[in-house]
């Protein structure tokens, strides 16, 4: 590449070095289900003898400018002449949920990303395969309260209860999730992500124990939904799916089936599909998508066969 003058070349090199330093502050990883993951500003301990590798199918990353993919490279090990980074988890996933996680390699990036997640400035999408009544809506947003019951289990509260004290010293917090139906019984279309999700019905939970269920059809159906959580409460999507009469397949804690069509579910079918946020160092808007898990790939294949 040729530059018209030395000043332009110097500016280009400075920006390139800055971009490389920025991407060296974060690791994007695809986490398989079954692993504990809790965000923290405390460094993560990892084995000095372990080899960190990028996933076979790395996450897709789109931004307004091209950036090196140093965030997907193996981490330096002891004895290779490089300083071991301090790793921090910026977000969490339930044990059996697969999908995207962000692990930072500097305390500065960790603080900014944790703050972004806490203030709900990170846009997230999830895929959930549910078994329940066929919904009579294509898009819906549900607003409710969230907190623990007197027995310690997470539950849906009325939106009017937000702020009410609960046993143990906590309070009812607000949670909001939007959903769109992608298919019912393999009939539908795996559409693109819409940020934000516009249109559809709006439901505000007024009474505890209410359910939004299409009672005209009591037969169970396979329903694939995409969830857009606009808050970050524990088990939020799982709770709202149960509330809508569409518990997630394999999620026995919240009413999901353990066995479906002769196959026993070894985990719930929930996948953290994408994250959209501003890079904590450069401020560049990013959208990252994780490769689909095996159950979602099977779903897509079946949809293509049924919808030529």
């Amino acid at each position: 590449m040729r530059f018209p003058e030395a000043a332009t070349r110097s500016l280009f090199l400075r920006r390139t070095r800055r971009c490389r330093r920025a991407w060296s502050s974060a690791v994007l990883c695809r986490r398989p289900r079954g692993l504990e993951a809790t965000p923290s500003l405390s460094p993560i301990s990892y084995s000095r003898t372990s080899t960190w590798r990028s996933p076979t199918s790395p996450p897709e990353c789109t931004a307004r400018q091209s950036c090196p993919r140093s965030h997907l490279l193996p981490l330096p090990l002891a004895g290779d002449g490089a300083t071991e980074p301090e790793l921090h988890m910026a977000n969490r996933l339930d044990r059996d949920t697969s999908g995207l996680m962000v692990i930072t390699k500097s305390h500065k990036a960790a603080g900014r990303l944790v703050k972004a997640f806490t203030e709900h400035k990170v846009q997230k999408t999830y895929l959930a395969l549910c078994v329940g009544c066929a919904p009579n809506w294509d898009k819906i947003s549900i607003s409710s309260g969230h907190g623990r019951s007197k027995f310690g289990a997470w539950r849906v509260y009325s939106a009017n209860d937000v702020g009410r004290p609960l046993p143990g010293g906590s309070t009812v917090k607000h949670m909001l999730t939007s959903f769109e139906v992608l298919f019912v019984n393999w009939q539908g279309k795996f559409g693109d992500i819409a940020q934000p999700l516009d249109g559809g019905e709006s439901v505000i939970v007024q009474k505890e124990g209410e359910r939004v269920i299409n009672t005209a059809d009591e037969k169970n159906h396979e329903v694939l939904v995409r969830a857009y959580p606009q808050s970050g409460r524990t088990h939020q999507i799982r709770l709202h799916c149960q509330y809508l009469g569409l518990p997630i397949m394999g999620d026995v804690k919240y009413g999901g089936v353990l066995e479906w069509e002769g196959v026993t579910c070894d985990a719930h079918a929930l996948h953290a599909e994408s994250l959209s946020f501003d890079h904590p160092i450069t401020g560049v808007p990013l959208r990252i998508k994780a490769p689909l898990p095996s159950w979602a790939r099977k779903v897509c294949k079946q949809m293509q066969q049924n919808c030529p």
Side-chain angles (χ1 to χ4, degrees), residues 3 16 60 70 88 94 105-106 113 122 134-135 166 177 181 190 208 210 219 230 240 262 264 266 271 290:
F3 298 91
T16 302
E60 299 176 12
S70 58
H88 310 262
D94 295 337
K105 296 193 283 184
S106 74
L113 269 179
V122 179
L166 293 173
T177 313
V181 176
F190 198 91
E208 299 175 18
E210 285 184 335
K219 180 182 177 182
Q230 298 171 45
H240 274 168
T264 301
D266 59 352
H271 175 66

Side-chain angles (χ1 to χ4, degrees), residues 105-207:
K105 296 193 283 184
S106 74
H107 194 79
K108 179 180 179 181
R112 292 182 179 180
L113 269 179
V114 169
K115 182 180 179 181
F117 275 100
T118 303
E119 296 178 351
H120 313 309
K121 294 181 178 179
V122 179
Q123 296 177 328
K124 300 167 282 187
T125 66
Y126 288 73
L127 294 175
L129 183 59
C130 307
V131 175
C133 300
N136 54 4
W137 44 266
D138 294 324
K139 299 178 181 179
I140 196 170
S141 293
I142 177 170
S143 176
S144 72
H146 171 272
R148 290 189 183 273
S149 69
K150 61 181 179 180
F151 303 106
W154 295 108
R155 58 169 297 179
V156 172
Y157 283 87
S158 166
N160 297 325
D161 288 332
V162 172
R164 177 165 69 87
L166 293 173
S170 62
T171 59
V172 177
K173 294 181 173 59
H174 177 254
M175 65 175 174
L176 174 64
T177 313
S178 298
F179 294 91
E180 64 173 332
V181 176
L182 298 182
F183 84 67
V184 177
N185 293 334
W186 313 108
Q187 301 296 321
K189 182 180 179 182
F190 198 91
D192 295 331
I193 296 172
Q195 290 283 11
L197 183 64
D198 297 322
E201 301 181 27
S202 180
V203 174
I204 299 177
V205 177
Q206 299 292 342
K207 295 181 180 180

Side-chain angles (χ1 to χ4, degrees), residues 33 98-99 126-129 182-183 186 190 222 224-226 249 268-273 290-304:
R33 62 191 184 190
S98 62
Y126 288 73
L127 294 175
L129 183 59
L182 298 182
F183 84 67
W186 313 108
F190 198 91
E222 284 189 57
L224 179 68
V225 297
R226 176 176 281 133
M249 184 184 295
H268 60 237
L270 181 63
H271 175 66
E273 179 189 26
L292 296 177
S294 57
W295 64 262
R297 292 196 299 270
K298 179 182 177 183
V299 165
C300 292
K301 183 178 180 181
Q302 189 69 34
M303 287 175 62
Q304 292 174 353

